[in-house]
Amino acid sequence: MQTCVLIIGAGATGTALARDLSLRGTDCILVEKGDVNAGASGANHGLLHSGARYIVSDPAAAAECHAENRILKKTLPQCIEDTGGLFVAVQGDDEKYIADFPGSCKKCGIPVQPLSPDQARDMEPALSEHVIAAFRVDDAAIDPFKLSLDNLCCAQEHGARLLCRHQVTSFEISGGRIVCTHVTDLKTNKQFRIEAQVVVNAAGAWADIIALRAGAQIRMHYSKGSLMVTQNRISQMVINRLRMPTDGDILVPGGTVSILGTTSERVASPDFIHPEIHEIDTILDQGSAMIPKLAQTRYIRAYCGVRPLPAGSEITNPARDPDDRAVSRGYELIDHQDQPEQVTNFVTITGGKLTTCRLMAEKTADLVCGKLGIKAVCRTRTEPVPDAAEAKWTSPGLAPAAWVQESRCKDPLLCECEMVPESVVKKIADSFAANHQQAGLKAISLRSRIGKGPCQGTFCSMRIMAYLYDQGYMDDRNGTDDLRAFLRERWRGQQPLAWNNGLTRAELMEAMHCGLFCLEL
Amino acid sequence: MDNQKADIHCDLMIIGTGMAGMAAALFAAGQDLDIVQAGRTGQLGFASGLIDVLGVYPVARGRIVKDPWPAIADLGRHEPAHPYAKMAIREIQTAIETVLGFFGQAGYPYVYKKNQNMIMPTAAGTVKPTYAAAHTMAHGQAAMAQQEACLLVDFKGLKGFGSRMIAANLARTWPGLRPVTIGFPEAGTELHPEPMARALETARMREKLAENIAPHLGDTASVALPAILGISRTQKVTEELSGLLGVPVFEISTMVPGLAGIRIKEIFQQHLPEMGIKAFFQHSVRRAYRQTGGGWAFEVGDHSHLRLVSARAAVVCSGRFLGGGLHADRSGIMETIFTLPVAQPPDRDSWHHRDLLHAGGHLVNRAGLAVDTSFRPVDDKGRPVWPDLFAAGTILAGQDWMREKSGSGLSIATAYAAVRAARRFLDKT
């Protein structure tokens, strides 16, 4: 295969970059070892930062977040719920931080509106009686899956190609250039070559591994963050704890649920990570100081992601910052031409935040186009991203509304918790079939709400699998393996929350799939 | 709280209406005892139509058990805390034969071989070892074992049962399985097993269904369906549909809650009151009070219909987390009615393995009530907590019914043992 730009990694940055380059008329291929947003891009709060979180620890990142917040609200309104945000302090929180907060926001150009504790509780009745200070900021909720899928669909409309479940195995380097990239199709184990004029490493927490294959050393920290999803939405707005960033200090609404986070723990590798029970306990205990009902509410699942933090940008020494809170959340764009390895057509973009993915893509595309001698300018700053039909089913509450309005309930529901009907599963499976791919349960769940309700896939997994076979989307004997893989993935998020109702659901899942169907044998 | 205030007095209170509670009531009936039973019957809905006794042992090796009795003897030697280890094998056999005989008398016979497990196909396209299969399902064993040419029928609009899925995933074990999708007679957009089964209890619908299946028969030797072959008249439905098609018809167990659970629930609900059990189905036991001088008083029902039942002894068969007998918060696991001591892992970290399907199973499933050989819950020193309180079913510690494939057998056997022990206690006092 040949292309102008090969992008490695289909997360928020890789897909935004594919769109940016495509709009500049540049041909590109995205190679992804898992699926879209398989890493941190799919395992975060879905928060569109106002920037206020970083005013003390990282003022530059704060200002960037603020600017991008404005741009994305205009260009991607379909992915954003403009909830607004609150920063609240409770009794015992650092009074100096509270006093300095509005001034620091203003210094970074971030709008902030002081509120009395009563005003804040009027806006958000779930807030603690012990709130002593509150400010309103421009935070919003953003659907990270729809964001990446919309960017990707736009890029594909302009000719970009995506290869999921394809892994970069090696680079052929000659005369200081990557002349060819070796890629393995992880399904068939077939190997092939991609010749590209420029290769961009947008592999997130795996960027150092990719760089190493081109002989480049990137020093990175892996910072794991765990989060939990509530069964019902707890607040209308994003609620932040008004203090230096630490565990359990943010609650972000997302459609019909809320997401409570997060931790920050240094891990040795971005693979094989789990949300741990002690993290869940910490988040819960901290979060309920701000919003007491978080201690009692029902939770659906936990998940975690790994932030790739560039180690070159440490602000303090590690001994004083054991959980990497002070490491810059800014991005790092590396031109490997200027590095010791001197590879002229290799670029790495890493670090950063979901909120700044467009900016990261723009800066990367500028560098890439410079290398290619392309004069076209960036269009993503002002041009809206089309609302892609293929990407609309990730949004909580959309499928039920469409089911009631469009099909008048005549379309059988395969996922009854989130009310996802046959027609939605069919549309997603068709989009895979159009690319000669087989849609498994995990791929469908990434593109819809299946398995995301209280049953966590216990019932819908079997119904959808049976449907996929009946409609001919699947015909081999891999179905039960796919079922196992899907249930295992759901379990990862259930296991640390398995007390009270969570334990009842876990027992039901095991009773059905082990007790009756013997999937463990 | 003393005896005078109670609305109802009885000798033995049976708490729970799952398989263990129902079996306990059956064993206690006809013995000159006043019996009261209470509990919500939702749990029986999870019965699959298969009675497991011990299908996998040792669990960690995933070894399928051919003959359950020597395996239970082996288990008893290696796992002394297991409820089966506290009984004689002869008693387990008697208990299970009694319940299976009862189902047979009630018109829903089970098929089994005394010293052999059966291997059955499932709706997931997997196979499952079990001890006894409802007569509606039993032919699946022979059909699969002999790789019989079999037509596997699913229905447009019936979710979660896909003949293509089952056939594709069982292709190696059962190449003769041929999937087909047909319409159910007079069906709407979405089908549910219970109305389908009720419909098939009429001759007209059986004939129509046979007409829909007949064009696909070819040289098939049997026809497999999801569990829809009637509710209270399964024998008639199965025989007549087989007659109309000219080949045996059988069911493959579907997702739970399913029809098999409804059938046995109806059987118990009909027969136990006839056998003299005073039953409060759909009413749960809210609280237990210790009476001065021994015995118990129980609040049964809800605010609008609260009854006070006094009992000389009680058998608790309230199930695990799903059944409500156990409850867990972040700090630990508790028993919900008597706050009995619960044998459990030291901390929440060790409750579950990170892999759902980990071969060894999850430690939390072995938590529960530890009992002595009289099936009385004991404290951490092994002493009975109360002389007149007995326990049975999946609430017991030391077993993992989901992985052992021992659910129904364990419930039935321990109910038998607990009722016998309660009887001995009542005879003495």
Side-chain angles (χ1 to χ4, degrees):
Chain A
M1 290 173 98
Q2 289 190 324
T3 186
C4 195
V5 182
L6 173 66
I7 304 165
I8 301 163
T13 312
T15 50
L17 177 61
R19 171 170 182 256
D20 190 314
L21 288 169
S22 304
L23 289 177
R24 299 191 203 206
T26 306
D27 183 56
C28 49
I29 291 178
L30 266 165
V31 173
E32 163 60 52
K33 79 178 159 85
D35 200 341
V36 177
N37 278 11
S41 303
N44 54 72
H45 300 91
L47 172 66
L48 187 65
H49 272 281
S50 62
R53 169 56 74 209
Y54 299 113
I55 47 166
V56 175
S57 60
D58 198 347
E64 272 172 11
C65 282
H66 172 62
E68 287 301 304
N69 176 302
R70 294 280 165 98
I71 292 171
L72 297 190
K73 279 177 182 168
K74 287 198 184 105
T75 57
L76 274 153
Q78 71 271 21
C79 298
I80 293 167
E81 186 187 342
D82 197 356
T83 58
L86 292 178
F87 271 77
V88 298
V90 298
Q91 275 165 20
D93 285 347
D94 179 2
E95 301 210 358
K96 184 171 183 321
Y97 192 86
I98 300 168
D100 292 346
F101 182 76
S104 306
C105 283
K106 282 187 189 116
K107 240 184 263 171
C108 298
I110 292 167
V112 59
Q113 178 198 348
L115 302 169
S116 72
D118 283 341
Q119 283 175 312
R121 274 191 298 268
D122 280 347
M123 292 168 136
E124 290 296 353
L127 283 174
S128 163
E129 288 297 311
H130 304 298
V131 167
I132 53 167
F135 296 90
R136 194 187 193 289
V137 295
D138 288 339
D139 289 334
I142 183 164
D143 178 344
F145 292 99
K146 183 154 176 60
L147 167 74
S148 291
L149 293 172
D150 277 351
N151 273 326
L152 179 66
C153 286
C154 177
Q156 286 173 317
E157 289 283 306
H158 289 83
R161 286 167 282 173
L162 167 68
L163 301 171
C164 280
R165 314 224 181 281
H166 282 66
Q167 189 165 27
V168 169
T169 44
S170 62
F171 296 113
E172 244 175 79
I173 297 174
S174 167
R177 283 176 54 82
I178 297 177
V179 291
C180 159
T181 303
H182 292 261
V183 172
T184 303
D185 180 337
L186 295 175
K187 272 193 180 155
T188 60
N189 267 327
K190 273 191 199 137
Q191 303 209 349
F192 59 96
R193 299 151 47 94
I194 299 175
E195 287 169 25
Q197 293 172 49
V198 177
V199 175
V200 179
N201 171 14
W206 294 268
D208 54 348
I209 297 169
I210 294 294
L212 208 56
R213 289 184 188 151
Q217 297 267 359
I218 304 177
R219 289 219 306 124
M220 257 170 36
H221 290 157
Y222 311 113
S223 164
K224 181 177 75 159
S226 292
L227 309 102
M228 0 178 9
V229 187
T230 61
Q231 183 164 328
N232 297 305
R233 182 161 169 162
I234 305 292
S235 67
Q236 288 311 303
M237 305 166 82
V238 175
I239 301 178
N240 302 269
R241 184 83 168 263
L242 179 53
R243 62 177 179 191
M244 281 297 278
T246 184
D247 293 341
D249 57 6
I250 184 162
L251 183 73
V252 183
T256 53
V257 303
S258 289
I259 294 166
L260 174 64
T262 174
T263 53
S264 184
E265 281 193 351
R266 182 85 63 96
V267 289
S269 150
D271 293 303
F272 312 112
I273 52 163
H274 294 261
E276 308 279 350
I277 284 170
H278 70 88
E279 291 180 284
I280 297 305
D281 284 347
T282 304
I283 299 174
L284 262 181
D285 293 341
Q286 293 291 324
S288 49
M290 192 165 67
I291 300 165
K293 76 197 273 193
L294 289 173
Q296 262 75 47
T297 196
R298 293 183 182 189
Y299 292 88
I300 290 187
R301 69 183 275 106
Y303 59 96
C304 62
V306 167
R307 309 170 185 97
L309 301 180
S313 57
E314 279 163 325
I315 296 169
T316 58
N317 73 56
R320 291 181 51 203
D321 181 28
D323 62 357
D324 291 322
R325 297 277 181 194
V327 175
S328 171
R329 302 298 159 93
Y331 63 86
E332 194 168 19
L333 178 60
I334 304 166
D335 184 345
H336 292 277
Q337 184 169 358
D338 308 330
Q339 300 294 315
E341 61 276 7
Q342 293 183 336
V343 181
T344 58
N345 65 339
F346 185 47
V347 171
T348 293
I349 175 75
T350 185
K353 310 205 55 64
L354 185 67
T355 304
T356 55
C357 68
R358 190 214 61 84
L359 178 68
M360 293 162 71
E362 177 183 338
K363 297 294 180 197
T364 310
D366 285 348
L367 176 62
V368 168
C369 288
K371 287 180 181 289
L372 293 166
I374 293 169
K375 298 272 186 313
V377 293
C378 175
R379 288 161 56 185
T380 62
R381 197 170 271 273
T382 52
E383 200 165 313
V385 184
D387 186 357
E390 297 90 325
K392 72 177 175 179
W393 304 109
T394 59
S395 166
L398 180 68
W403 181 71
V404 171
Q405 284 160 17
E406 291 168 21
S407 75
R408 285 183 291 282
C409 316
K410 290 240 167 95
D411 189 1
L413 292 176
L414 292 179
C415 168
E416 291 177 357
C417 300
E418 297 287 315
M419 300 180 74
V420 183
E422 277 186 8
S423 61
V424 168
V425 172
K426 181 171 167 53
K427 276 174 199 158
I428 295 168
D430 279 340
S431 71
F432 272 75
N435 295 316
H436 310 287
Q437 288 173 327
Q438 206 177 50
L441 291 172
K442 269 185 174 169
I444 293 172
S445 83
L446 188 80
R447 288 160 181 81
S448 72
R449 299 281 307 161
I450 68 152
K452 298 192 173 74
C455 95
Q456 286 291 297
T458 296
F459 295 97
C460 62
S461 58
M462 271 283 290
R463 294 195 196 110
I464 293 167
M465 186 54 70
Y467 177 78
L468 292 175
Y469 273 96
D470 273 349
Q471 299 297 308
Y473 294 113
M474 206 169 260
D475 54 12
D476 51 22
R477 48 181 193 84
N478 297 329
T480 37
D481 286 338
D482 194 70
L483 193 61
R484 285 185 183 98
F486 178 68
L487 293 171
R488 281 182 151 127
E489 193 274 326
R490 293 285 92 191
W491 180 258
R492 248 163 57 108
Q494 276 184 290
Q495 181 257 336
L497 303 181
W499 72 88
N500 202 343
N501 303 87
L503 185 50
T504 310
R505 288 170 192 153
E507 189 174 65
L508 179 57
M509 179 182 269
E510 200 186 348
M512 174 109 86
H513 292 283
C514 298
L516 180 56
F517 293 142
C518 300
L519 286 182
E520 84 281 17
L521 295 177
Chain B
M1 189 68 47
D2 59 42
N3 293 351
Q4 280 86 322
K5 288 185 188 162
D7 308 312
I8 302 164
H9 303 274
C10 70
D11 296 310
L12 186 63
M13 176 76 178
I14 294 167
I15 301 163
T17 47
M19 187 62 93
M22 293 299 200
L26 179 70
F27 295 129
Q31 291 196 34
D32 271 350
L33 294 175
D34 284 330
I35 314 283
V36 173
Q37 183 186 13
R40 297 186 184 280
T41 52
Q43 291 312 301
L44 260 189
F46 291 96
S48 62
L50 304 174
I51 301 281
D52 299 349
V53 172
L54 185 65
V56 175
Y57 187 80
V59 163
R61 281 192 228 150
R63 189 182 292 154
I64 305 274
V65 170
K66 289 202 176 85
D67 177 351
W69 310 117
I72 287 177
D74 205 17
L75 178 151
R77 282 190 292 274
H78 291 96
E79 297 180 23
H82 196 287
Y84 276 153
K86 299 175 194 294
M87 299 179 69
I89 286 179
R90 186 66 219 133
E91 287 180 303
I92 302 173
Q93 289 169 332
T94 305
I96 287 163
E97 278 164 22
T98 307
V99 171
L100 293 178
F102 166 75
F103 286 140
Q105 294 280 314
Y108 187 50
Y110 275 71
V111 176
Y112 63 103
K113 286 187 185 144
K114 207 166 161 33
N115 296 319
Q116 198 180 320
N117 273 332
M118 312 167 79
I119 304 293
M120 305 296 295
T122 79
T126 52
V127 297
K128 172 183 164 66
T130 193
Y131 182 66
H135 75 94
T136 52
M137 295 180 174
H139 186 74
Q141 141 97 348
M144 185 166 69
Q146 289 154 26
Q147 301 197 347
E148 195 170 274
C150 175
L151 182 71
L152 173 56
V153 178
D154 70 15
F155 296 94
K156 282 186 200 104
L158 179 67
K159 298 183 290 191
F161 187 89
S163 58
R164 276 171 195 78
M165 173 180 174
I166 301 168
N169 287 287
L170 279 179
R172 273 192 186 166
T173 3
W174 195 356
L177 204 52
R178 178 160 55 87
V180 64
T181 303
I182 65 168
F184 192 77
E186 300 174 14
T189 318
E190 213 167 308
L191 290 172
H192 298 281
E194 191 174 341
M196 293 166 82
R198 296 207 188 275
L200 288 181
E201 299 209 329
T202 67
R204 190 176 64 87
M205 290 298 273
R206 286 195 292 274
E207 281 157 22
K208 285 197 164 188
L209 176 60
E211 280 170 29
N212 290 3
I213 294 174
H216 305 282
L217 278 175
D219 60 350
T220 193
S222 56
V223 173
L225 295 166
I228 54 165
L229 293 174
I231 293 189
S232 59
R233 275 167 289 191
T234 52
Q235 284 176 300
K236 187 173 175 66
V237 175
T238 310
E239 278 162 24
E240 295 211 353
L241 196 59
S242 298
L244 288 167
L245 291 170
V247 291
V249 173
F250 67 96
E251 299 175 331
I252 291 181
S253 65
T254 36
M255 283 168 71
V256 286
L259 212 54
I262 298 173
R263 290 173 185 150
I264 56 172
K265 186 169 101 179
E266 290 196 358
I267 289 171
F268 279 125
Q269 286 188 348
Q270 186 199 332
H271 288 84
L272 290 178
E274 288 172 10
M275 296 164 83
I277 304 292
K278 187 157 186 57
F280 296 102
F281 297 132
Q282 308 312 338
H283 292 273
S284 50
V285 173
R286 289 162 47 92
R287 286 187 71 174
Y289 302 93
R290 186 70 189 157
Q291 310 235 67
T292 43
W296 296 93
F298 298 100
E299 278 181 21
V300 177
D302 52 32
H303 284 297
S304 56
H305 260 290
L306 203 61
R307 285 184 189 81
L308 201 61
V309 179
S310 77
R312 292 167 61 209
V315 182
V316 55
C317 316
S318 48
R320 300 184 67 78
F321 304 99
L322 207 52
L326 299 177
H327 176 83
D329 64 21
R330 285 199 278 151
S331 63
I333 301 168
M334 55 222 95
E335 187 277 326
T336 54
I337 299 172
F338 301 88
T339 55
L340 294 165
V342 175
Q344 57 187 295
D347 53 44
R348 205 164 99 239
D349 278 295
S350 44
W351 285 3
H352 293 96
H353 198 274
R354 281 174 169 171
D355 177 8
L356 168 67
L357 304 176
H358 182 258
H362 306 288
L363 221 48
V364 72
N365 294 328
R366 293 184 180 269
L369 303 182
V371 289
D372 63 10
T373 49
S374 295
F375 285 80
R376 289 176 299 189
V378 294
D379 62 16
D380 58 358
K381 300 204 165 56
R383 296 174 303 211
V385 185
W386 303 105
D388 48 12
L389 183 62
F390 304 83
T394 55
I395 196 173
L396 298 179
Q399 49 81 26
D400 183 349
W401 68 270
M402 298 187 275
R403 299 306 183 90
E404 294 165 356
K405 320 300 162 195
S406 65
S408 295
L410 192 88
S411 292
I412 293 166
T414 56
Y416 180 82
V419 167
R420 293 240 312 187
R423 172 83 222 199
R424 284 196 298 271
F425 168 82
L426 290 169
D427 286 346
K428 275 191 287 182
T429 51

